[in-house]
Amino acid sequence: MTRTVAEKRAVFRALHQQGCFVMPNPWDVGSARMLQHQGFSALASTSTGYAWSTGRPDYAVTRDDVLRHLAALCDAVDLPVNADFENGFATEPAEVAANVGLALETGVAGLSIEDRDGNAPGLYDLALSVERIRAARDAIDRSGDNVVLVARTEGLLIDPEALAPSIDRLVAFAEAGADCLYAPGIRDKAGIAALVRAVAPKPLNVVMMRPGLSVAELADLGVRRISTGGALARVAWAAMLATVDRIKAGSFDGLAGGTPGKELDDIFAGFA
């Protein structure tokens, strides 16, 4: 690798200042290196994609699992990596701060904190959610690391009609020190535009988990960055499952669509 951690973080910070960039989500070192080869400017980890790659469901991996995974991704590529750090693997703000400190040591350039425990129903109450973001902000500031703090509300994944309370949460998180805001589940132009206006001048992340608006349309709405969550991993699993189903039925025709091994070897040889 030719970029230092500090250089990756500076690049990532600059990407948030203007324009719109796509930040796809690899689930392992191979997919991360492939996405760098394809010319993207930044990457983000995916909790779902990583969990599935280890044969576990979402929210079944541990903090230490994720820390090792983040370190491997950051070491493998020259691109800045934004960490999907779930709920910070803690509820209490002080524990969130401690875990954020550990995540910074992996070399990540950005880090997102959610406002719910994925293994429990509902969101944390707003006051606690704000304190958790403030604790993460303080941990980053104390470290002196130039890491982008992303605050997520999961409200729209629970209730797609909860736009107003989701906006209230993102505004509160911005005031608590988040650098970038994120409400997965928003898909329509009017809702996205409302979120962009509410958090401005801070940037908004939109995740595209299925076909919909184009990059140009999202950019026109004022979206600063676009991620894909676990969608690329789901596409990869779908290709495997479709091929396996044909094999079970007695045909190996599905293997014809595979990328040639030499092409893959040549790509990955560039990282040796």
Side-chain angles (χ1 to χ4, degrees):
M1 299 299 100
T2 59
R3 280 180 176 165
T4 66
V5 171
E7 288 169 340
K8 293 178 189 179
R9 288 170 172 170
V11 166
F12 198 51
R13 177 74 63 176
L15 286 170
H16 289 76
Q17 301 308 308
Q18 61 183 353
C20 179
F21 67 99
V22 178
M23 184 180 65
N25 301 67
W27 55 91
D28 61 9
V29 166
S31 56
R33 288 182 165 177
M34 181 61 73
L35 291 170
Q36 175 173 319
H37 173 77
Q38 291 296 103
F40 290 96
S41 55
L43 305 175
S45 68
T46 160
S47 59
T48 53
Y50 169 59
W52 297 331
S53 76
T54 68
R56 288 175 283 183
D58 197 14
Y59 297 110
V61 295
T62 68
R63 179 201 68 182
D64 289 348
D65 289 333
V66 170
L67 291 173
R68 286 189 291 269
H69 173 60
L70 292 173
L73 290 181
C74 292
D75 288 345
V77 294
D78 263 343
L79 301 182
V81 174
N82 189 99
D84 177 348
F85 208 51
E86 301 189 19
N87 70 331
F89 297 92
T91 295
E92 294 305 314
E95 295 178 27
V96 171
N99 290 340
V100 166
L102 295 175
L104 299 181
E105 295 175 6
T106 68
V108 295
L111 180 144
S112 64
I113 298 291
E114 303 171 6
D115 59 353
R116 71 165 171 172
D117 178 344
N119 292 308
L123 306 177
Y124 297 123
D125 69 58
L126 181 57
L128 175 59
S129 297
V130 168
E131 286 305 309
R132 286 162 42 80
I133 296 303
R134 189 171 287 121
R137 174 80 272 158
D138 290 345
I140 294 172
D141 291 345
R142 286 196 305 271
S143 75
D145 293 326
N146 183 22
V147 171
V148 173
L149 174 60
V150 184
R152 291 175 48 156
T153 180
E154 308 294 282
L156 291 170
L157 296 179
I158 296 171
D159 177 7
E161 302 302 317
L163 180 60
S166 294
I167 287 176
D168 291 343
R169 282 180 171 257
L170 292 189
V171 170
F173 297 161
E175 293 172 351
D179 297 304
C180 180
L181 292 309
Y182 182 15
I186 191 72
R187 293 193 293 274
D188 64 286
K189 286 187 175 182
I192 292 170
L195 288 175
V196 169
R197 289 193 301 270
V199 304
K202 294 191 174 182
L204 181 77
N205 183 97
V206 168
V207 60
M208 294 299 294
M209 296 182 285
R210 56 186 59 80
L213 299 173
S214 67
V215 172
E217 288 173 315
L218 290 166
D220 286 344
L221 291 171
V223 173
R224 183 59 45 82
R225 68 182 215 180
I226 305 165
S227 57
T228 58
L232 287 179
R234 289 191 291 104
V235 170
W237 281 109
M240 176 184 171
L241 290 171
T243 301
V244 168
D245 283 344
R246 295 180 73 175
I247 292 173
K248 287 169 60 180
S251 170
F252 293 95
D253 290 349
L255 300 178
T259 304
K262 185 179 184 308
E263 180 178 341
L264 294 173
D265 284 342
D266 289 345
I267 289 170
F268 292 129
F271 293 89

